[in-house]
Amino acid sequence: MFFLMQSCEEDITKVNHNKKTNFASQIIHNANIIQRDSGVVKVRFKAPLLESYELIDSPYVEAKKGIYLEFFDKKNPKVPGKVWANYAKNNVKRDSYFAKGRVKIITTEGQTFVTETINWDKRNGKMYTKDTVFVSDKDGNILVGAHGMVAKDDFTEYTFFNNSGSFNSTNLPTTSK
């Protein structure tokens, strides 16, 4: 009898050793979150599945089935900027975000950025990627950053690496001789 009990305990220990212990503490299906400041909508966020992992050393929130986000700024409060991605993750402690899978960003000024991945360091106000970035604007200008970009998070300034593009010559500034 003693040997049977001891062997059962060993089997349970081996089985429990291989079990996953990182479980979502909150799960939201069809998330529809609106952030307001003084009654004014700042962000609208939608995700088919949102999982929050809070009970671990490095808590995070994950949207495994993609996201859609609208953000409003003071410069153009009537027209929202938009973000789509097939996957997103927020590292709560570092206040950073990561999105991947056909990431598309449309700014409030009408510029469209398309890439495979994007990182947002919210604390420093920077967005960056090492993947190819395709940018187009309302005038039909196209720019390609073959080795990624770094940008302010409001896209007022950005730097592309190994870039090329095509521009409408009627919109280029004239140079004096």
Side-chain angles (χ1 to χ4, degrees), residues 26 63 71 124 147 166:
Q26 294 180 18
F71 57 93
N124 295 315
H147 293 167
S166 64

Side-chain angles (χ1 to χ4, degrees), residues 49-132:
L49 178 65
L50 200 58
E51 298 176 326
S52 180
Y53 297 83
E54 301 170 313
L55 306 175
I56 57 176
D57 291 339
S58 184
Y60 63 93
V61 178
E62 195 170 41
K64 294 178 183 176
K65 294 186 177 184
I67 63 162
Y68 171 72
L69 177 100
E70 291 180 347
F71 57 93
F72 299 85
D73 68 7
K74 293 176 183 174
K75 287 185 263 178
N76 201 353
K78 300 257 187 234
V79 179
K82 299 175 183 178
V83 179
W84 293 265
N86 291 339
Y87 171 88
K89 184 176 181 178
N90 165 236
N91 184 312
V92 177
K93 278 188 177 178
R94 283 191 269 153
D95 204 13
S96 64
Y97 298 81
F98 170 74
K100 71 177 182 177
R102 298 182 54 94
V103 179
K104 182 177 179 181
I105 302 167
I106 300 176
T107 68
T108 57
E109 302 295 320
Q111 292 177 306
T112 302
F113 294 76
V114 178
T115 185
E116 269 306 303
T117 65
I118 192 96
N119 293 281
W120 178 26
D121 180 352
K122 191 173 176 184
R123 287 182 187 161
N124 295 315
K126 299 277 185 203
M127 297 188 85
Y128 58 93
T129 184
K130 291 185 178 183
D131 292 330
T132 301

Side-chain angles (χ1 to χ4, degrees), residues 154-170:
D154 62 358
F155 287 96
T156 55
E157 294 178 20
Y158 37 83
T159 302
F160 295 97
F161 304 106
N162 193 14
N163 56 357
S164 63
S166 64
F167 298 89
N168 186 345
S169 62
T170 58

Side-chain angles (χ1 to χ4, degrees), residues 33-44 72:
I33 300 168
I34 297 174
Q35 178 186 3
R36 297 176 195 264
D37 184 8
S38 303
V40 178
V41 175
K42 295 292 182 184
V43 175
R44 282 190 191 122
F72 299 85

